[in-house]
Amino acid sequence: MANGFKGSWTKKFFKEVKSSRLYGDFYYNQELTSHGVFGVHQKRLFGKEGGCPCGEQLETIEHILLKCKIWGKERDDWPKSWLQKDISDLVFYSPFKKGSIDILKKLMSSRLIS
């Protein structure tokens, strides 16, 4: 949660937060809203632990996609410059979108199993 205000994560990408602006892909919408199986969202909604299994205190979507060592193998083919950028510079870039959706699918699958 960037600053505690409703829609603050989504406002990184859009000036106004509107539910009518959903993009149709379940995983990509989680990326744009930060709502999903991510620790920080689960903590905020359900009071669960917000930490990442890698040991990071808060498991945010940005942590998962750009920093988490658990998903490092999935990022091996990504340009290293992506890891230095802000997620708002990457989220609409088609190759990043595809790679991030792949990670989110694997994350969701791993959470459903455990």
Side-chain angles (χ1 to χ4, degrees), residues 87-99:
I87 197 164
S88 62
D89 296 328
L90 296 168
V91 75
F92 296 112
Y93 181 54
S94 186
F96 178 80
K97 180 179 173 182
K98 181 188 178 318

Side-chain angles (χ1 to χ4, degrees), residues 70-87:
I70 294 171
W71 304 105
K73 184 176 181 192
E74 283 75 7
R75 293 190 299 267
D76 280 349
D77 294 336
W78 292 11
K80 298 302 175 215
S81 63
W82 286 6
L83 305 178
Q84 307 306 314
K85 293 185 182 252
D86 188 274
I87 197 164

Side-chain angles (χ1 to χ4, degrees), residues 21-75:
R21 193 181 318 204
L22 298 176
Y23 280 79
D25 183 283
F26 173 75
Y27 300 98
Y28 188 57
N29 285 329
Q30 287 187 50
E31 189 171 328
L32 294 175
T33 63
S34 80
H35 295 177
V37 297
F38 324 117
V40 71
H41 181 70
Q42 295 292 306
K43 179 178 182 175
R44 187 172 58 237
L45 254 54
F46 306 112
K48 294 183 177 184
E49 293 295 320
C52 181
C54 78
E56 182 69 22
Q57 185 177 358
L58 288 177
E59 184 188 53
T60 65
I61 182 67
E62 195 164 22
H63 166 74
I64 291 165
L65 295 179
L66 298 176
K67 300 173 184 158
C68 184
K69 60 187 174 191
I70 294 171
W71 304 105
K73 184 176 181 192
E74 283 75 7
R75 293 190 299 267

